[in-house]
Amino acid sequence: MRRVTGDRLRLFNGESGEFTGEIARFNRHGGEVLLGERLRTPLPEQTCILSFALVKRSATDLIVEKATELGATVIQPVVTSHTQAVRVNLERLNAIATEATEQCERLSVPAIRGVVTLDSLLESWPESRPLFVAAERVDASPLAACLRDCGLLVGPEGGFTSRELDVLGRHPFVTLVSLGPWILRAETAAIAGLARLLAGHRPS
Ligand code: SAM
């Protein structure tokens, strides 16, 4: 709001890239920017869906901010048996994701989806996309970097129930994975998991 006519700025979106711009007109209802040169073109990103069982508001905010910085392309809150919350404020989460995108100089803002149940997440999951499910206290291989389109599912503070782990394990696209020997908070698990999954990603 401190900007005035004639100020220069940068504008971006995931489809067209990043441009220089100059404010031609500006008031509290909106404004016009004259586009200048294109600074960056968007490169195809590996798609990664972060699904996480809803946690408290501050932890959800943290997950959205860090998942954006780490490169999640879709953020999907899920309700499971032990989930503590069932609602999200999509407008607020979109604002957090947009600010994090600007901060980390990424061009595309992740899509934040409305809350779904675990069953409907699994029903609509594309068979060809691997879904890595973070599961503590089970004999699972450590999560490794993934170089293709994939997804990560993290459970709630109370963990997945054994019935949910059974149901998850019956889907051919699901792999249970470990994030190490300690029991991480759900938000730490989401951040640590994405960091490992996307460590080898280079937009190309
Ligand atoms: N209440 C559970 C317990 O005490 O066994 C802990 C749940 S943990 C706080 C929340 C979620 O983080 C889990 O459902 C899981 O998805 C993930 N998580 C935490 N630590 C993990 C680990 N070492 N390996 C894999 N996933 C982990």
Side-chain angles (χ1 to χ4, degrees):
M1 297 305 282
R2 289 191 296 269
R3 301 282 187 167
V4 294
T5 304
D7 275 0
R8 298 185 65 76
L9 38 75
R10 290 187 289 160
L11 298 97
F12 71 92
N13 68 30
E15 288 79 49
S16 307
E18 184 182 37
F19 296 79
T20 59
E22 186 181 312
I23 299 175
R25 187 178 63 78
F26 190 55
N27 60 35
R28 79 171 77 142
H29 304 296
E32 278 171 25
V33 173
L34 293 173
L35 280 193
E37 63 173 316
R38 174 142 68 176
L39 300 172
R40 289 189 290 161
T41 37
L43 297 168
E45 290 179 334
Q46 173 188 342
T47 67
C48 179
I49 302 173
L50 170 66
S51 309
F52 67 100
L54 264 179
V55 280
K56 291 185 188 129
R57 193 172 90 163
S58 58
T60 299
D61 290 354
L62 183 73
I63 289 175
V64 168
E65 183 183 276
K66 299 308 167 200
T68 303
E69 289 173 42
L70 289 163
T73 47
V74 175
I75 298 177
Q76 172 68 76
V78 177
V79 173
T80 68
S81 301
H82 291 162
T83 304
Q84 292 162 317
V86 289
R87 256 186 287 279
V88 288
N89 178 338
L90 285 179
E91 202 177 321
R92 175 190 161 76
L93 295 183
N94 273 311
I96 291 172
T98 302
E99 202 175 314
T101 304
E102 289 170 3
Q103 189 277 328
C104 73
E105 303 197 356
R106 189 177 158 184
L107 291 178
S108 61
V109 183
I112 303 186
R113 303 252 162 93
V115 182
V116 296
T117 61
L118 181 58
D119 286 342
S120 63
L121 178 84
L122 293 172
E123 270 161 32
S124 61
W125 194 268
E127 296 269 322
S128 59
R129 176 188 288 270
L131 174 60
F132 300 102
V133 177
E136 72 287 357
R137 300 184 207 279
V138 298
D139 186 18
S141 303
L143 178 61
C146 179
L147 292 176
R148 51 177 291 209
D149 297 339
C150 63
L152 173 68
L153 172 63
V154 174
E157 279 311 314
F160 292 113
T161 62
S162 45
R163 185 191 157 271
E164 285 169 338
L165 285 174
D166 279 351
V167 170
L168 283 161
R170 276 187 236 133
H171 290 273
F173 49 81
V174 164
T175 307
L176 298 188
V177 291
S178 165
L179 295 170
W182 319 123
I183 306 301
L184 308 176
R185 298 187 78 123
E187 58 271 33
T188 313
I191 296 165
L194 279 180
R196 281 190 216 174
L197 266 186
L198 293 171
H201 176 47
R202 303 257 175 290
S204 57

